[in-house]
Amino acid sequence: MDPETTNVIEVKCLTVRYPKPGLKQVFVTAVNQLALAVHHGEVFGFLGPNGAGKTTTMNVLLGFVPPTSGTASLFGIDVRQPIARQRIGYLPELTYYYKFLTAEELLRFYAKIFGLSRAETDQRIAKLIKLVGLEHASKRPIKSYSKGMQQRVGLAQALINNPDLLILDEPTSGLDPLGRMKVREIIQRLKDEGKTVFFSSHELGEVEAICDRVAIVHEGQLKAVGTVAEISAGHANLERAFLEVVGYQSTCQP
Amino acid sequence: MNKIVALAGVVIKELYRRKDFYVLFVLTALLTVAAGMVNFFNDDKIIRIVKDVCLMLIWVSALIIAIVTTARQIPAEREARTLFPLLAKPVSRGQVLAGKFLGCWLATGVALVVFYFFFAIITGSREHIWPWAVYFQAMWLQWFMLAIVIAMVLLGSLYFAAPSSTSTISFILVVGMLGLGSHLNTLALQQPEPMQSLLAGIYFAMPHLEWFDLRDFVVYDQKLIAWPAFALATVYAVVWTGIFLLLAWFGFRRKNLST
């Protein structure tokens, strides 16, 4: 299978239903017949208001939640197979790591999960610690880190296997402007290296600046997909287009 | 296997970096030393009571370490959300469970070795004999009994929300099994039906943890148990551990884990 022509992410007719809390027989449809394809080497923005089904879709892609129906694959491999995650890096919205480990120990642990050799692990850890600017703190327990430093550890762990696909859930939420800039730089660098980046964000300005294509989901359904220019056509910017797609109506009277 | 070993390594690191393990260890060590120093009325037989007390402390400490450490593994990973970056790697849920089990079991094994070594030094210094083979059999079977307990607690931790409730329920269950296990069939014969069948059913269906208790051999007999019986008990522990781990895997692999 040619990696250049295979879709990196492919979602077909994906539906996810959850039992309503406390009511086992009543189901909530979080994702409804979603179809999506992310191509090799693109930066893809996954947008939608809160509760639109973005996180559920990501949970399916990462194997945390099984699809009720439909399929999802990474590099052509069903997401239910652990091997599908061999070439991906994942940065959760809120970073939580083993606080009793140092950043170096954490990265070493994840490198072992990926089956990296010792020499390769040492080389990657040194490179990543430098990339995220944690040289001075790499041997300190993570519990002593500030929030920004923990986010940077998160970014380093997402890159430990030199992934071909990076899945980022709200990567810049809670970061200061410098942290945001760092994340943007890293995404840009990965794009230049030909990697694929799939990320969800509420920062539409940021999405507009770095994404090749975007998808907008609302109430579990795909409402629009295309390049930023295509989605924004006829609107002042991506934000205006987004608001129209999700059917937002201002309640403020002039 | 490397993934399982890596996961076990994190469990062991967590255990030796937490203060509660040291508190428990120091407490047991101090009580063992104190008991070893006691010499009521210059009675030589008092050493048996000292040994009995020391072994009881070792059993209680090992059970606490095994149950408390295991009970928090999966719930703490979910609560701290460390489970999500982990499962986003090429690791299956079965491997996560196996790693957690191995880590807890090895950590408990290390604690047992230290406890028994300490026990041997204290009692040997009084009796001037070191029946290492008996100590080995006692420690080995206790360690395998703890394998059953750890697998059982791991299974429970998937269904009880809080580590504290898992620990409490597991502790009551294990103490119940150890205390009543050997008497349940006798008790069943004294009951009317259907209680008799029910108790007899429980007796035959439950794991008999009390069969792994060699404390009396260590304190009074100091004779080895037959090696075939020893091997059979090891196999029995492996089978029960396997059953509990299998049930845990069935439960965990179907669980929805929403971020």
Side-chain angles (χ1 to χ4, degrees):
Chain A
M1 213 180 288
D2 182 4
E4 300 285 327
T5 55
T6 310
N7 285 325
V8 174
I9 297 177
E10 193 153 2
V11 175
K12 288 179 183 167
C13 303
L14 181 72
T15 298
V16 182
R17 289 197 189 95
Y18 288 117
K20 213 169 185 174
L23 300 164
K24 286 255 170 189
Q25 300 305 315
V26 181
F27 289 86
V28 175
T29 304
V31 177
N32 192 5
Q33 295 288 314
L34 188 82
L36 202 65
V38 177
H39 312 308
H40 177 85
E42 68 180 356
V43 178
F44 193 95
F46 197 45
L47 313 178
N50 289 336
K54 300 189 300 293
T55 302
T56 304
T57 307
M58 281 196 170
N59 285 345
V60 171
L61 291 175
L62 294 162
F64 303 157
V65 172
T68 308
S69 66
T71 60
S73 62
L74 299 174
F75 302 100
I77 303 167
D78 191 306
V79 291
R80 282 171 288 197
Q81 305 291 326
I83 195 70
R85 300 188 286 278
Q86 182 70 32
R87 291 164 64 193
I88 71 163
Y90 167 60
L91 178 66
E93 180 183 357
L94 300 167
T95 50
Y96 296 98
Y97 302 102
Y98 305 98
K99 292 187 187 303
F100 53 89
L101 295 181
T102 65
E104 202 178 303
E105 285 171 339
L106 182 85
L107 295 177
R108 204 166 285 285
F109 164 58
Y110 286 140
K112 276 186 194 161
I113 297 285
F114 280 106
L116 302 184
S117 69
R118 199 181 175 88
E120 201 175 1
T121 301
D122 289 342
Q123 193 189 359
R124 288 220 184 136
I125 289 175
K127 190 179 159 189
L128 288 170
I129 291 284
K130 196 175 169 194
L131 177 76
V132 298
L134 283 175
E135 298 100 318
H136 62 291
S138 65
K139 292 191 192 308
R140 263 173 35 203
I142 293 172
K143 67 181 168 201
S144 68
Y145 286 14
S146 68
K147 193 179 172 188
M149 286 165 83
Q150 288 191 32
Q151 187 80 352
R152 282 187 271 162
V153 174
L155 204 51
Q157 67 80 28
L159 298 170
I160 188 70
N161 57 328
N162 191 20
D164 291 320
L165 165 66
L166 202 60
I167 298 179
L168 311 170
D169 191 3
E170 306 275 354
T172 55
S173 92
L175 287 185
D176 63 15
L178 288 175
R180 282 167 191 241
M181 189 50 74
K182 188 89 191 169
V183 171
R184 270 188 222 174
E185 279 173 16
I186 290 170
I187 292 175
Q188 193 58 51
R189 178 189 269 193
L190 290 167
K191 186 186 172 183
D192 295 343
E193 289 173 10
K195 314 280 189 190
T196 310
V197 182
F198 179 82
F199 78 102
S200 72
S201 180
H202 288 300
E203 302 288 335
L204 298 181
E206 186 175 272
V207 171
E208 207 164 7
I210 56 176
C211 285
D212 298 312
R213 287 199 306 143
V214 294
I216 300 174
V217 284
H218 183 45
E219 293 172 343
Q221 290 182 313
L222 184 69
K223 297 290 180 187
V225 63
T227 62
V228 174
E230 284 166 358
I231 302 271
S232 311
H235 299 89
N237 53 29
L238 184 64
E239 188 177 64
R240 302 307 307 172
F242 173 82
L243 292 173
E244 192 184 305
V245 168
V246 301
Y248 175 80
Q249 286 177 333
S250 176
T251 51
C252 296
Q253 296 299 318
Chain B
M1 191 63 193
N2 282 346
K3 293 175 187 178
I4 295 171
V5 172
L7 282 154
V10 171
V11 176
I12 294 168
K13 270 199 185 100
E14 184 193 11
L15 190 71
Y16 74 67
R17 285 180 186 174
R18 282 177 69 101
K19 290 186 181 71
D20 51 358
F21 172 71
Y22 293 103
V23 169
L24 201 61
F25 179 72
V26 169
L27 201 68
T28 306
L30 280 176
L31 286 168
T32 308
V33 172
M37 298 295 173
V38 171
N39 195 359
F40 295 109
F41 317 116
N42 285 327
D43 184 356
D44 285 344
K45 286 178 184 167
I46 202 76
I47 190 68
R48 288 186 176 170
I49 299 169
V50 170
K51 283 164 84 175
D52 212 2
V53 170
C54 291
L55 284 173
M56 170 64 90
L57 283 171
I58 291 174
W59 267 71
V60 172
S61 298
L63 272 177
I64 292 174
I65 291 171
I67 292 174
V68 173
T69 307
T70 312
R72 69 165 173 257
Q73 289 305 318
I74 301 289
E77 285 255 14
R78 288 191 72 177
E79 199 179 314
R81 301 165 73 92
T82 47
L83 191 60
F84 300 109
L86 175 62
L87 286 177
K89 311 269 183 293
V91 62
S92 68
R93 295 185 189 192
Q95 285 170 322
V96 171
L97 276 180
K100 295 291 182 191
F101 167 79
L102 188 67
C104 293
W105 191 47
L106 288 178
T108 313
V110 171
L112 272 185
V113 168
V114 176
F115 283 148
Y116 270 88
F117 186 71
F118 212 66
F119 173 79
I121 298 293
I122 295 293
T123 55
S125 66
R126 302 292 301 270
E127 291 184 313
H128 305 291
I129 51 161
W130 280 275
W132 291 110
V134 177
Y135 291 163
F136 168 74
Q137 283 193 336
M139 190 189 73
W140 178 270
L141 288 186
Q142 188 180 353
W143 190 37
F144 273 78
M145 182 276 292
L146 288 170
I148 303 175
V149 173
I150 289 168
M152 192 174 78
V153 177
L154 208 53
L155 170 66
S157 72
L158 298 175
Y159 296 98
F160 299 113
S164 55
S165 51
T166 311
S167 298
T168 310
I169 293 167
S170 303
F171 209 77
I172 292 168
L173 258 175
V174 170
V175 170
M177 282 174 180
L178 284 167
L180 294 174
S182 56
H183 306 295
L184 215 55
N185 56 340
T186 322
L187 199 68
L189 291 174
Q190 296 163 0
Q191 303 298 316
E193 285 293 356
M195 199 52 135
Q196 190 179 93
S197 300
L198 184 73
L199 287 181
I202 293 172
Y203 176 80
F204 287 108
M206 67 183 250
H208 284 274
L209 303 183
E210 77 281 2
W211 292 350
F212 297 85
D213 186 355
L214 295 192
R215 279 180 295 161
D216 285 350
F217 281 75
V218 175
V219 175
Y220 300 106
D221 293 329
Q222 299 191 342
K223 282 180 194 157
L224 287 171
I225 58 164
W227 288 104
F230 177 79
L232 209 63
T234 305
V235 172
Y236 178 83
V238 170
V239 170
W240 268 108
T241 304
I243 291 169
F244 283 127
L245 286 179
L246 205 65
L247 290 172
W249 176 67
F250 273 125
F252 193 43
R253 77 189 183 122
R254 288 161 183 233
K255 237 179 170 58
N256 265 354
L257 299 169
S258 299
T259 53

